[in-house]
Amino acid sequence: MFRQLLKLAAVLIVIAAAGVLLNPSPEKHRDTIAQEMGRRSQIADLLQLGRITAFFSEYHSFGVGSYTTVNDKVVSIGAYGFVFVRENAVVTEPR
């Protein structure tokens, strides 16, 4: 029983350490925001709105993950080397 508990603790420590080491940087968040906004909207791509939004974003880290905000709204969330841009945070063209 103690051996299984020790193995579980070791696995959890490795997972947490990997999260800290792979936490996306502010530059990774900004690049992903700019690319995603350009991909989702041709107008935003033309006007470089992704770069402008990324420039004004504020980076926040909590060890194993991170996020960026613009005007107190979460724009992107990152963990383990991946960054996800929230759907409603990206400029889209009207339908």
Side-chain angles (χ1 to χ4, degrees), residues 52-74:
I52 295 168
T53 301
F55 178 78
F56 287 106
S57 66
E58 293 182 38
Y59 177 79
H60 308 275
S61 177
F62 53 91
V64 297
S66 53
Y67 64 98
T68 60
T69 59
V70 174
N71 295 329
D72 296 325
K73 294 182 182 177
V74 176

Side-chain angles (χ1 to χ4, degrees), residues 27-78:
E27 292 79 24
K28 175 85 172 171
H29 276 273
R30 290 183 180 108
D31 288 343
T32 304
I33 291 167
Q35 290 172 0
E36 194 64 21
M37 286 185 78
R39 185 184 70 76
R40 294 182 185 176
S41 170
Q42 291 179 352
I43 295 171
D45 190 32
L46 179 67
L47 298 175
Q48 295 291 305
L49 294 179
R51 288 279 166 214
I52 295 168
T53 301
F55 178 78
F56 287 106
S57 66
E58 293 182 38
Y59 177 79
H60 308 275
S61 177
F62 53 91
V64 297
S66 53
Y67 64 98
T68 60
T69 59
V70 174
N71 295 329
D72 296 325
K73 294 182 182 177
V74 176
V75 176
S76 65
I77 302 167

